[in-house]
Amino acid sequence: FPSEHFRRTWNHSSSTTFVLTSLFNESRMHLFLFSMVVVIYTLAMAGNTAMVLLIWADARLHTPMYFLLSQLSFLDIFFTSVTVPKMIAGFLFGWISISFGGCGAQMFFFMFLGATECILLALMAYDRYVAICNPLRYPLLMSRQTCLLLVAASWLGGSLNASIQTALTLQFPYCGSQKIAHFFCEVPSLLRLACADTAAYEQVLFVTGVVVLLVPIAFITTSYALILAAVLRMHSVEGRKKALATCSSHLAVVNLFYGPLVYTYMLPASYHSPGQDDVVSVFYTVLTPMLNPVIYSLRNKEVTGAMKKVIGKCGVGRTV
């Protein structure tokens, strides 16, 4: 019976303890790279936390665009924390083993937060489309209730995607090598250890990749095609610059986040190697979350103005 087979498979696999390979060795160059990763992770946590607090504290930033941006920063805080602290602990203290349940939990939260961010970035493109192409209807189409519903839908979609993929990945028997050639439990790396035919599931993984990655990309592309057409019809040069400034920040974040994910989850397994996967994963788990608040703060006058206001208040407080 299928249920009994699944129980036997689960009981066998759940006793497994996996070993995660480290990104770095003891060489000076790798020690330097490890230090850089720690610094970037710290900056990512500080930058995204500051962005959330800044948007919450400044009344001028209580708009749909900044509400969605605060959600993006909130997601990035947890998204990068799912994998990096474990990697740091593994390098410093040798804690490289991870239980079957711990591996499943790490995989679930990684996919949950990642898929939620994919959907959220598409919603941010919709917000810019409404603001530029339908400014008179913007308060109605992007009301507070609508924003809350859109964000809840992104979290629900991410949770559904992660639940399906985690359940399907963990149902395979893992009775061979226990060494995961990666610094965290990611689906493609774990499937290499399955002692069963995973070809059918890899097709399912491709389909979910289309839904979670390519559908939002198509939505974002369409939104920005309509935005570009609207911008070209603008008579005000200042209006064009402002529209392009806010859109360019979002487009930069989209390219940084979606590009590596498409490589990881859409390309066939024959195009992957453990070394390449490690580098690509570091890009979207550490570097992109650090760059997101930097991109939005440098390219956005309202954010930089709010930061200067807060810094000014802190300076006045110290002098007093």
Side-chain angles (χ1 to χ4, degrees):
F1 296 94
S3 59
E4 188 174 343
H5 171 71
F6 179 78
R7 262 199 312 275
R8 287 201 305 268
T9 301
W10 174 267
N11 290 336
H12 180 82
S13 297
S14 59
S15 62
T16 301
T17 298
F18 294 111
V19 175
L20 299 169
T21 59
S22 177
L23 275 173
F24 311 104
N25 55 38
E26 299 294 328
S27 68
R28 290 185 178 181
M29 177 57 70
H30 279 235
L31 286 173
F32 171 75
L33 293 174
F34 171 77
S35 302
M36 289 299 296
V37 168
V38 173
V39 170
I40 292 172
Y41 171 69
T42 305
L43 291 174
M45 295 295 290
N48 284 292
T49 302
M51 186 67 76
V52 171
L53 295 176
L54 189 67
I55 292 171
W56 174 75
D58 197 309
R60 292 175 300 175
L61 302 181
H62 292 176
T63 63
M65 183 180 84
Y66 293 110
F67 172 70
L68 295 176
L69 178 56
S70 69
Q71 288 294 308
L72 178 66
S73 291
F74 184 76
L75 280 171
D76 277 339
I77 291 170
F78 292 98
F79 182 65
T80 192
S81 296
V82 169
T83 58
V84 179
K86 174 65 176 174
M87 182 266 287
I88 293 173
F91 181 79
L92 293 178
F93 308 111
W95 300 342
I96 57 175
S97 63
I98 185 169
S99 66
F100 183 80
C103 190
Q106 189 180 54
M107 186 166 32
F108 171 82
F109 284 108
F110 176 80
M111 288 188 292
F112 166 45
L113 296 166
T116 302
E117 187 160 334
C118 286
I119 300 170
L120 184 66
L121 287 170
L123 297 179
M124 293 174 75
Y126 172 72
D127 170 75
R128 291 300 83 208
Y129 160 74
V130 176
I132 294 170
C133 300
N134 295 285
L136 297 178
R137 300 181 63 195
Y138 185 77
L140 176 64
L141 294 175
M142 293 300 294
S143 64
R144 180 172 180 80
Q145 184 178 5
T146 302
C147 288
L148 290 173
L149 287 173
L150 290 174
V151 169
S154 68
W155 283 83
L156 181 61
S159 176
L160 183 62
N161 170 76
S163 299
I164 293 171
Q165 291 200 20
T166 303
L168 289 174
T169 303
L170 295 184
Q171 58 101 20
F172 288 108
Y174 295 95
C175 50
S177 171
Q178 297 177 340
K179 187 176 182 180
I180 299 176
H182 206 7
F183 65 94
F184 70 99
C185 291
E186 195 169 18
V187 173
S189 299
L190 196 61
L191 286 180
R192 296 192 191 105
L193 305 184
C195 45
D197 184 12
T198 61
Y201 174 51
E202 287 175 13
Q203 294 297 321
V204 174
L205 192 64
F206 178 81
V207 172
T208 56
V210 169
V211 174
V212 176
L213 293 173
L214 296 192
V215 170
I217 287 174
F219 185 84
I220 291 169
T221 303
T222 303
S223 297
Y224 276 108
L226 296 172
I227 288 171
L228 181 61
V231 169
L232 292 176
R233 291 195 298 268
M234 289 181 180
H235 299 293
S236 169
V237 176
E238 188 64 29
R240 285 186 184 183
K241 287 182 178 180
K242 185 176 180 181
L244 291 174
T246 57
C247 291
S248 63
S249 299
H250 181 250
L251 278 174
V253 170
V254 166
N255 289 324
L256 287 170
F257 189 71
Y258 276 98
L261 285 175
V262 168
Y263 166 84
T264 301
Y265 288 95
M266 298 301 298
L267 290 182
S270 58
Y271 288 86
H272 292 260
S273 70
Q276 289 175 336
D277 287 350
D278 282 347
V279 173
V280 173
S281 296
V282 167
F283 199 88
Y284 60 73
T285 57
V286 188
L287 191 60
T288 301
M290 186 272 288
L291 290 175
N292 286 351
V294 175
I295 291 170
Y296 273 103
S297 60
L298 290 178
R299 300 284 297 173
N300 196 300
K301 291 181 179 179
E302 291 173 321
V303 172
T304 53
M307 289 176 65
K308 289 176 182 177
K309 183 180 176 181
V310 170
I311 293 171
K313 283 184 177 180
C314 292
V316 171
R318 282 197 297 269
T319 56
V320 172

